[in-house]
Amino acid sequence: MAEPIDSILRVNLNTKPDAINNLKTLSSTYNKDSGNFLLQSKYNQLILNFTQKNPTTKQSLSSGTETIKKTFQTIKNTAGSYEFANEIDWEIWEAIVENYENFVNENTNTLNELISKGIPKEIRGIIWQVAAYSKDLNLEDFYLQLKNETSIHEKAIKRDLTRTSFFTNIDAVNKSDELFNIIKAYSLYDPDVGYTQGMIFIGVPLIMNCNESESFCLLVTLMKDYNLRHLFCPEMQGLHLLLYEFDRLLESYSPILYNHLTKQGIKSSMYASQWFLTFFAYKFPLDIVLRIYDIIITEGMESILKFAINLILKNESNLLNLSFDKLLEFLKDNLFNIYISDEFINTENNKRFSFTKKSSNSYYKLDQLVQDSLDINVDPLDLQKFQNEFNHILEKEEKKGEEITNLQVENGALRKEIKQYEFKFNSINADHLDTVQTMVDLKITLPDLLNENSELKELIEIRNQEIEELEAKIGKDIPTTIEDQIKELLDINAKEVEKSANLEEELQNLLIEEENLKKQLPNHTWFKW
Amino acid sequence: MSSQQQQSSSTSTNNNSLQQPIPTISVKLVLLGEAAVGKSSLVLRFVSNDFQENKEPTIGAAFLTQKCTINNQIIKYEIWDTAGQERFASLAPMYYRNAQAAIIVYDITKPASFIKARHWVKELHEQANKNITIALVGNKYDLVEDEEEGGANENEESLRKVSYEEGLNLANEEGLLFFETSAKTNHNITEVFVAIGEKIPKDKSNESNINNGNEGGRIDLLNNEHIPQKSNTCC
Ligand SMILES: Nc1nc2c(ncn2[C@@H]2O[C@H](COP(=O)(O)OP(=O)(O)OP(=O)(O)O)[C@@H](O)[C@H]2O)c(=O)[nH]1
Ligand SMILES: [Mg+2]
């Protein structure tokens, strides 16, 4: 399963150099001979984180751990008198509490075995806090302050608390105020994440094993240092990453099953989202969830993959025979059935089981379940490789998204252009239609006009002929009217000539008379007057 | 199991259809809407005729099927019930992308859930199948039933915050089916699914079944489904 580091490094040579450094650092956090890489790696990563924190926080965390050690002593001393206490190997747990770092690195396999059998419930909260390095006295003070503030998520948290049967059905019910407080305080502490459905499931095991402020510190540590907040942040990238890692692991562990599921159209997000978002608390009872928590807190969030892969592999033969609908049903309800204790199988007629079973004997073979899951030794370097792939795909997808946005913008602009052209086209078209209409009208009137034209031409012809005829006539005889007029004029003329002749005769007579008169005058002094 | 139970909407059956095998059509349906409006309760009522006072919040999504006979045709609803909280929006596209029908649910006593319903209508129009059949459903009618049937005290503020007309107007504007329902009292629940079954383009759904080539209705595979999609609903 584990690939040599070089091959992984080669894959990443053309990526950023700090990615290679990260891989080197990561590979230094665990021993390749150990049977559980994640167990060592998680704690050493936490310690690396710790060294980078500011002095005040470091101080506060160290004192916190010291306080826990003291609490452990108290429990050990008071518990000694009870019967159950004999079942606990106090010596070894004490050694673990006193020097967890040493134990993780030197006695990995012993620690692994102890945890896989389940951390005793009396000291579960203590071990969790030691392994997570979570108890932070300053943060606890801050919590007391946050607790009294109001959050915009309060209504939603309250509403979901009453709707979460995992919570309402179990003994934790009398801790509902505490649970509400830490979830609300977290929504104030990390406003980007706020409150997400699923967080209640995460909070229940914490509040059952630690006091209120310790639970808050553990929640914050899980969210920040275990990356849980990426599961719940707005784009839920942490979830998508886990699903991707799950797919790759399943593909390598059982290509047949992977192919079958893919062919049937089943995607891991359809059934595994709720596993990862609630660490199996959504469907499965508290005793299973607590055992899963033992592993999550000591090995990191990614150890949930071991449970997921194991469950699906153990049911491989069943799953291979099912198709879409039945697969989803089976994946939702029946995966854990293979771990039902024999005593319950015999009495159980109904295939479905009760989630609220309260029995001293566990309904499930818990040890078996955890043991089988831990046999899957997930390599942090593989996970890192998957994560790089995932980020790469994500980048590509983002670029594609950008491209799509750009294309959409372009598309929008083009569409606008089209609209404008359409508008232009419409107005041109309207003009065109008008023109066509006029043309049609003209065409309709044209024959009439032509007719008219030829009629007129004929008329002209006729007129011309008439004119010719008339001209010819003028040459031969003057029209009577003119003749009459001429006659009349000639008459008038004759009369005038006669008149004039008469007048001239008269004048002649007058001139003769005057001559006579002059002769009669004595001296021609007519003008001497 | 309950998925075998059949609900009949058409009481008149002619002899012909009794002799001929009734064709079964698969319809992929997705439920969308704000958290706690009653999506899961609606499906539970339709599939198992049951109701739970404190229904668990849906994490991720849940798949259920139910057959019913509508106009001499068996319709097998393949239902994806999604998680309502905004945070889960990055998971929703893969469920509605190839859906033939969608029920957008709001709570008539919660105005914010109606605003959210508008967002879903918009997102579906932009991102889903072009000929998807959408029903808008105002749920929890039982909470206002009494006050509306006369017993209401004039002075008391009504629990109803979204009027019937507001819902109807949105549905008319956007071309959606519209119902006010109660998963609690089983008011109008079957009607929603029958109306969808009647409205869905029949040949289209057959076609897509043939194209699928396998018996279960399923969400098509896109290679990069793990990649969170930027949700269009957040502003
Ligand atoms: N009075 C009344 N309550 C209802 C009705 N339908 C659902 N509820 C209640 O409303 C709460 C939420 O119902 P769910 O069906 O879980 O809502 P959901 O939409 O699936 O919610 P998410 O899965 O969180 O998105 C539950 O407590 C139901 O009992 C109804 O018609 N009337
Ligand atoms: Mg639901």
Side-chain angles (χ1 to χ4, degrees), chain A residues 9 12-25 388:
Chain A
L9 286 177
N12 291 287
L13 269 181
N14 35 14
T15 66
K16 299 153 221 149
D18 47 318
I20 296 169
N21 279 337
N22 282 348
L23 279 178
K24 281 187 178 151
T25 318
N388 292 346

Side-chain angles (χ1 to χ4, degrees), chain A residues 278-377:
Chain A
T278 68
F279 298 128
F280 286 106
Y282 189 64
K283 274 280 160 187
F284 302 107
L286 187 66
D287 50 2
I288 289 190
V289 175
L290 288 174
R291 298 294 292 272
I292 292 174
Y293 256 66
D294 287 347
I295 307 304
I296 300 270
I297 290 176
T298 53
E299 300 187 18
M301 172 176 82
E302 292 75 16
S303 59
I304 195 73
L305 293 165
K306 297 182 177 184
F307 289 92
I309 293 287
N310 173 60
L311 274 179
I312 204 156
L313 288 181
K314 284 286 184 302
N315 284 287
E316 186 182 58
S317 54
N318 280 330
L319 292 169
L320 283 174
N321 290 321
L322 301 176
S323 59
F324 188 78
D325 293 16
K326 296 286 165 215
L327 269 173
L328 284 171
E329 203 179 303
F330 193 93
L331 287 164
K332 193 170 74 178
D333 293 329
N334 302 342
L335 280 182
F336 276 86
N337 287 3
I338 47 165
Y339 285 109
I340 295 177
S341 301
D342 301 336
E343 51 181 308
F344 292 99
I345 290 175
N346 295 337
T347 57
E348 198 95 13
N349 294 324
N350 193 343
K351 269 207 312 197
R352 302 187 156 246
F353 47 87
S354 152
F355 300 128
T356 57
K357 197 112 202 157
K358 278 177 197 161
S359 162
S360 53
N361 287 331
S362 179
Y363 186 65
Y364 293 100
K365 298 177 214 162
L366 295 178
D367 288 341
Q368 183 78 48
L369 166 72
V370 177
Q371 197 51 62
D372 289 350
S373 303
L374 292 193
D375 283 347
I376 295 171
N377 194 4

Side-chain angles (χ1 to χ4, degrees), chain A residues 163 197, chain B residues 34-41 51-58 82-84 139-140 142-143 182-184:
Chain A
R163 292 171 68 205
Q197 286 174 348
Chain B
E34 204 187 49
V37 295
K39 298 179 294 298
S40 303
S41 302
F51 178 76
Q52 291 167 7
E53 273 304 331
N54 286 313
K55 187 97 188 70
E56 304 242 304
T58 307
T82 64
N139 191 38
K140 306 201 184 175
D142 58 285
L143 295 177
S182 166
K184 187 170 180 172

